[in-house]
């Protein structure tokens, strides 16, 4: 995972609630067996509409998605995160994220920032009025900054530390391998095993 | 202070607890399917890692598998590559797999329970959000992303953030014709698609205790549609009876030890939930969705709501968008909504009881002209049981299509899809835009409502058919 410290970029204001992961990346894209190449599938159905915000030329190259509440509901597909990243997004801001999507995003270095809905509304207003307006997402300071707006956000210390350092969860866990082995030695014999039974 | 069921299961799986770090939890059972695992196996290969516990891991093919002509090569080359990738990964890493054509193949959340692998007090994960299904057994079961799939493959553990607890207490008897599906749809409409966010839900009360295991799985399955981390039901005699004798259920002394442990898996009387809601089962009626998220539902007897009736501006906009997409007018009675297709199946309602319920409604009747009804068993075992009971004949005699097991039209990753603009009454779990095929329109319903809808051609309950039963007699 790449480190995330601070990011500045233009925004795409997406005024829609309950954007589920089927909208972010439709199921037929999930047949791919790689983590890349999902950018054309991002919001595929909506992009067929020329007036969709992502199709507007002034939004080309934007890297911060300003999403409505309940972003990322539904399927656990991590492809939704890859699609956003493949397209070029570095951060998503919303007042509410679905749990699995949020977990997936933070494991891939896509920073999902929780801000109060009224702050999201202000950022929407700012970036709708001025597509060139830039937003800075500063993980070190835990702060989102834009013209006339400074908003602090919360993020678990441990998650932040992993993002700032670009650390891989598995290698962190494997440092505690003796704990896992010790736990395994205490598991009751009645626990299920998947090996074929006679 | 007492602990809730979820807290007990969590506590029993903590491998490592340290201040300022997420708890590291041990995972008892890891289920895999072809869609969310290839990148995880790639990750293992790149890092030179193995699957730590192949004996706690099992794979099945379900999302991409065709439901007709399963003996022929899979037509879609991309689907075929994905299935072949799973087969190759399973062989390389030593993971048990049930491929298309195998008697244990089927939807991953149907296969785990029927093998007896899903047991009370276990932690169960899968790269699939409907893993919440397994909570019906008193397991702590949740969907994970592919990064976490790789993590579990490599370490058999997951670092997890703490959760909050919510009790959903349902008292009273469900009225005739009202099912577990109606109950969970009503719950989601009440608390919203984000109402369960951060929570593990515990369904309790007399209405829940009287549900069969199949029905409990239907309820827990859709916990994710309320945004919950997981949904659980305390194990009881119904659970133990379901499990006893299944291939992977404990045997002999292990069975006795297991039951003794399982009986402790109840929320203590003095435990405190972070949030509680109460539902009167006797007030429920058949419930259907009218919109494009599972929280946009209403009793079948109601009408399509007017977006202006929603006080919250984002809900109002969502309702406006939904009616536009669904091609519905506010004020139209839901019973007047005509359908083109009916889908009976999925990890929500693809088990034997669901097929029995749908068959009982269509038996001796015909699917309406212009309506296509697909019946897709959740697993090969379910299909075989249904065939033994003659249910396949009931469906085909009524004009429905009897298919092979898989996820099928729940998400249309295989050829089973709606055409643009087509409307479907579906026993699945998601009515998202395009979920069942580009431009397709989905109404989530129970198997009984699906079957009655197939016969009448518009959204309907079995009670709407009683008049014509009498006429036939």
């Amino acid at each position: 995972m790449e480190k995330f410290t601070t990011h500045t970029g233009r925004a795409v204001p997406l005024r829609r609630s309950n954007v589920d992961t089927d909208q972010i990346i439709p199921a037929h894209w999930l047949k791919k067996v790689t983590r890349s190449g999902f950018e054309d599938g991002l919001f595929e159905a909506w992009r067929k509409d020329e007036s969709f915000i992502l199709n507007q030329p002034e939004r080309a190259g934007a890297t911060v998605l300003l999403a409505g509440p309940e972003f990322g509901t539904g399927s656990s597909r991590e492809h939704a995160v890859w699609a956003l990243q493949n397209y070029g997004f570095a951060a998503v801001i919303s007042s509410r994220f679905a749990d699995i999507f949020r977990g997936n995003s933070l494991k891939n270095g896509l920073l999902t920032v929780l801000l109060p809905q009224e702050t999201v509304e202000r950022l929407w207003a700012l970036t709708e009025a001025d597509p060139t307006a830039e937003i800075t997402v500063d993980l070190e300071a835990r702060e989102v900054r834009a013209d006339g707006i400074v908003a602090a956000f919360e993020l678990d210390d441990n998650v932040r530390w992993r993002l700032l350092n670009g650390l891989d969860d598995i290698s962190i866990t494997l440092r505690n391998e003796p704990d896992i082995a010790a736990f395994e030695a205490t598991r009751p014999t009645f626990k299920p095993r998947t090996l074929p039974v006679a | 202070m007492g602990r809730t069921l979820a807290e007990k299961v969590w506590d029993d799986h903590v491998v490592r607890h340290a201040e300022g770090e997420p708890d590291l939890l041990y995972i008892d059972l890891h289920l895999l399917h072809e869609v969310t695992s290839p990148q995880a196996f790639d990750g293992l290969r790149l890092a030179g890692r193995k699957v730590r516990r192949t004996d706690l891991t099992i794979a099945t093919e379900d999302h991409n598998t065709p439901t007709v002509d399963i003996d022929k090569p899979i037509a879609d080359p991309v689907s075929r590559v994905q299935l072949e990738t799973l087969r190759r990964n399973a062989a390389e890493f030593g993971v048990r797999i049930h491929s298309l054509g195998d008697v244990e193949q089927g939807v991953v959340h149907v296969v785990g329970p029927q093998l007896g692998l899903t047991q009370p007090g276990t932690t169960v994960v899968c790269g699939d959000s409907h893993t919440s299904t397994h909570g019906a057994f008193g397991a702590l079961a949740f969907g994970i992303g592919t990064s976490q799939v790789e993590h579990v493959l490599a370490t058999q553990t997951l670092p997890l953030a703490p959760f909050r607890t919510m009790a959903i207490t349902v008292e009273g008897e469900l009225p005739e014709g009202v099912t577990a599906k109606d109950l969970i749809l009503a719950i989601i409409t009440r608390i919203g698609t984000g109402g369960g966010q951060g929570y593990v839900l515990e369904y309790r009360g007399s209405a829940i205790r009287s549900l069969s295991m199949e029905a409990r799985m239907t309820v827990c399955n859709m916990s994710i549609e309320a945004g919950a981390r997981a949904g659980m039901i305390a194990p009881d005699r119904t659970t133990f009876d379901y499990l006893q004798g299944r291939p992977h259920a404990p045997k002999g002394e292990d069975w006795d030890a297991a039951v003794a442990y399982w009986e402790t898996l109840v929320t203590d009387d003095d435990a405190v939930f972070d949030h509680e809601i109460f539902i009167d089962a006797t007030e429920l009626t058949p419930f259907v969705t009218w919109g494009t998220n599972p929280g946009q539902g209403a009793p079948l007897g109601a009408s399509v709501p007017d977006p202006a009736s929603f006080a919250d501006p984002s809900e109002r906009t969502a309702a406006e968008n939904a009616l536009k997409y669904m091609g519905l007018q506010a004020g139209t009675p839901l019973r007047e909504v005509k359908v083109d297709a009916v889908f009976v199946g999925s990890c929500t309602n693809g088990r034997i009881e669901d097929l029995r319920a749908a068959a009982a409604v269509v038996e001796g009747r015909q699917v309406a002209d212009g309506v296509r009804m697909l019946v897709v068993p959740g697993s090969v075992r379910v299909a075989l049981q249904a065939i033994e009971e003659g249910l396949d004949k009931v469906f085909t005699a009524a004009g429905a299509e009897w298919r092979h097991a898989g996820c099928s039209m729940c998400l249309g990753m295989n050829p089973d899809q709606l055409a643009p603009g087509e409307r479907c009454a579906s026993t699945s779990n998601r009515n998202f835009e395009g979920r069942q095929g580009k431009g397709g329109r989905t109404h989530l319903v129970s198997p009984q409502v699906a079957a009655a809808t197939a016969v009448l051609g518009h959204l309907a309950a079995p009670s709407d058919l009683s008049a014509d039963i009498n006429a036939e007699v």
Side-chain angles (χ1 to χ4, degrees):
Chain A
M1 182 168 84
E2 284 189 33
K3 293 178 186 183
F4 192 112
T5 48
T6 183
H7 174 83
T8 299
R10 285 178 292 110
V12 174
L14 183 65
R15 276 192 191 260
R16 240 185 132 108
S17 65
N18 272 289
V19 174
D20 57 76
T21 53
D22 273 78
Q23 301 319 311
I24 300 173
I25 185 84
H28 70 99
W29 281 89
L30 275 48
K31 297 174 187 180
K32 288 170 68 70
V33 295
T34 58
R35 285 173 178 257
S36 58
F38 292 97
E39 57 277 11
D40 290 340
L42 180 70
F43 300 124
E44 185 184 49
W46 295 340
R47 274 162 79 184
K48 296 215 160 73
D49 173 1
E50 273 178 32
S51 66
F52 181 58
I53 184 107
L54 226 55
N55 290 333
Q56 295 167 11
E58 65 270 26
R59 302 293 168 182
T63 52
V64 179
L65 184 65
L66 296 171
E70 314 305 348
F71 188 81
T73 54
S75 159
S76 61
R77 56 189 72 168
E78 198 158 311
H79 314 66
V81 171
W82 304 332
L84 287 160
Q85 290 184 311
N86 292 168
Y87 186 85
F89 286 109
V92 185
I93 296 174
S94 170
S95 62
R96 286 176 72 91
F97 292 99
D99 284 330
I100 301 178
F101 174 80
R102 184 125 204 262
N104 288 344
S105 69
L106 297 172
K107 293 204 184 302
N108 284 273
L110 175 73
L111 186 57
T112 38
V113 179
L114 271 172
L115 288 178
Q117 186 59 29
E118 54 266 30
T119 311
V120 177
E121 300 273 355
R122 287 172 66 204
L123 291 166
W124 274 342
L126 170 74
T127 55
E128 280 168 350
D130 178 8
T132 67
E134 290 197 323
I135 294 179
T136 295
V137 179
D138 185 339
L139 181 58
E140 279 172 308
R142 276 186 251 222
E143 209 170 70
V144 169
R145 294 183 297 271
D147 190 17
I149 299 169
V150 178
F153 64 86
E154 294 199 10
L155 189 70
D156 176 81
D157 281 334
N158 188 269
V159 173
R160 177 170 166 269
W161 166 71
R162 285 191 292 104
L163 283 165
L164 286 172
N165 294 289
L167 297 174
D168 158 27
D169 266 2
I170 297 177
S171 39
I172 298 174
T173 296
L174 287 175
R175 289 182 205 161
N176 301 311
E177 200 281 332
D179 292 338
I180 301 174
F183 183 91
E184 284 176 328
T186 67
R187 292 179 78 235
T189 55
F190 60 74
K191 289 276 187 176
R193 281 169 196 262
T194 58
L195 298 178
V197 282
Chain B
M1 196 180 74
R3 293 177 300 161
T4 63
L5 165 61
E7 287 159 346
K8 288 182 182 181
V9 179
W10 179 284
D11 291 349
D12 285 350
H13 291 83
V14 176
V15 169
R16 177 184 154 85
H17 173 81
E19 211 49 51
E21 289 179 28
D23 281 355
L24 189 64
L25 250 66
Y26 200 78
I27 302 303
D28 288 316
L29 178 64
H30 188 190
L31 306 166
L32 296 168
H33 62 74
E34 75 273 17
V35 179
T36 54
S37 62
Q39 298 85 352
F41 281 111
D42 272 351
L44 290 187
R45 250 188 305 268
L46 274 172
R49 291 174 178 141
K50 292 178 176 165
V51 175
R52 182 179 178 90
R53 295 294 299 262
T54 51
D55 61 335
L56 307 182
T57 311
I58 186 168
T60 180
E61 299 172 359
D62 53 8
H63 284 63
N64 279 270
T65 51
T67 59
V68 286
D69 298 334
I70 66 157
D71 49 336
K72 300 199 178 104
I74 294 165
D76 179 346
V78 195
S79 284
R80 194 167 64 229
V81 165
Q82 191 159 60
L83 290 167
E84 284 166 356
T85 303
L86 179 64
R87 290 170 200 176
R88 211 172 43 244
N89 284 329
E92 180 181 338
F93 289 89
V95 171
R96 175 176 166 190
I97 181 172
H98 294 295
S99 292
L100 188 62
D102 184 307
V103 71
E104 299 298 350
Q105 180 262 341
V107 181
V108 65
H109 308 306
V110 178
V111 169
Q114 78 189 9
L115 282 170
L117 284 168
T118 303
Q119 294 176 16
T122 55
T123 46
V124 181
V125 299
C126 176
D128 193 287
S129 59
H130 291 114
T131 309
S132 58
T133 311
H134 307 265
F137 292 80
L140 183 60
F142 45 90
I144 57 179
T146 297
S147 294
Q148 289 171 301
V149 170
E150 184 180 339
H151 196 285
V152 177
L153 288 172
T155 71
Q156 205 57 37
T157 64
L158 274 180
L160 291 168
F163 61 92
R164 290 173 290 169
T165 56
M166 186 189 302
I168 298 185
T169 305
V170 191
E171 293 290 355
E173 204 174 321
L174 288 170
E176 177 74 25
V178 179
T179 69
K181 183 63 165 289
D182 303 302
L183 168 62
I184 188 64
L185 286 172
I187 289 171
I188 297 162
T189 291
R190 166 131 164 223
I191 70 176
T193 55
Q197 218 174 80
Y199 289 99
V200 173
L201 313 180
E202 183 182 332
Y203 304 97
R204 52 212 312 252
S206 58
I208 300 295
R209 284 196 300 276
S210 67
L211 295 177
S212 67
M213 286 316 297
E214 280 86 349
R216 291 179 189 187
M217 285 189 254
T218 300
V219 171
C220 289
N221 171 273
M222 290 192 71
S223 303
I224 182 67
E225 264 55 70
R229 296 267 298 272
M232 299 176 86
I233 294 172
D236 58 11
R237 183 48 56 192
T238 302
T239 322
F240 310 153
D241 288 348
Y242 177 96
L243 276 167
Q244 195 159 26
R246 290 193 181 263
H248 290 271
K251 303 206 168 36
E253 283 176 20
D254 270 346
W255 172 262
D256 298 334
V259 172
Y261 171 61
W262 296 345
E263 283 175 336
T264 68
L265 298 173
V266 290
T267 291
D268 296 326
D269 290 339
D270 57 342
V272 178
F273 288 95
D274 296 311
H275 190 67
E276 291 195 62
I277 71 166
F278 297 89
I279 288 178
D280 180 353
T282 64
E283 288 181 358
L284 295 170
T285 60
F287 210 86
V288 302
T289 62
W290 49 266
T292 54
N293 75 56
Q296 293 176 320
L300 175 64
S303 297
V304 177
D306 184 347
S309 66
F310 293 93
D312 178 79
S314 93
E315 277 187 41
R316 193 181 317 136
T317 312
E320 283 165 4
N321 289 338
L323 294 199
K324 193 172 155 205
Y325 180 84
M326 294 294 289
L328 293 172
Q329 297 292 323
T332 306
L334 286 163
R335 275 195 165 85
E336 289 179 13
V337 174
K338 291 196 165 71
V339 304
D340 306 293
V342 170
F343 172 64
V344 174
S346 85
C347 58
T348 312
N349 282 125
R351 284 170 286 267
I352 189 68
E353 274 191 7
D354 303 311
L355 300 193
R356 284 179 192 145
V361 176
V362 299
E363 184 157 23
R365 299 192 167 96
Q366 284 297 309
V367 172
D369 282 346
V371 174
R372 176 167 64 127
M373 182 183 192
L374 248 68
V375 182
V376 182
S379 70
V380 176
R381 291 281 183 201
V382 169
L384 292 174
Q385 177 71 30
I387 290 167
E388 194 178 309
E389 296 178 21
L391 305 183
D392 58 326
K393 299 270 188 321
V394 171
F395 287 118
T396 50
E401 295 174 38
W402 172 254
R403 296 294 192 94
H404 189 80
C407 297
S408 179
M409 201 188 262
C410 174
L411 83 170
M413 274 191 80
N414 73 351
D416 306 343
Q417 296 178 18
L418 295 178
E422 272 192 325
R423 186 181 300 281
C424 181
S426 177
T427 66
S428 56
N429 40 55
R430 288 185 175 140
N431 51 348
F432 298 154
E433 288 182 21
R435 170 86 176 176
Q436 296 192 287
K438 272 182 203 169
R441 297 160 168 166
T442 305
H443 296 271
L444 301 177
V445 300
S446 72
Q448 286 85 336
V449 167
T453 299
V455 171
L456 290 173
H458 59 78
L459 293 176
S463 58
D464 299 324
L465 294 164
S466 48
D468 77 89
I469 289 187
N470 295 335
E472 280 168 23
V473 175

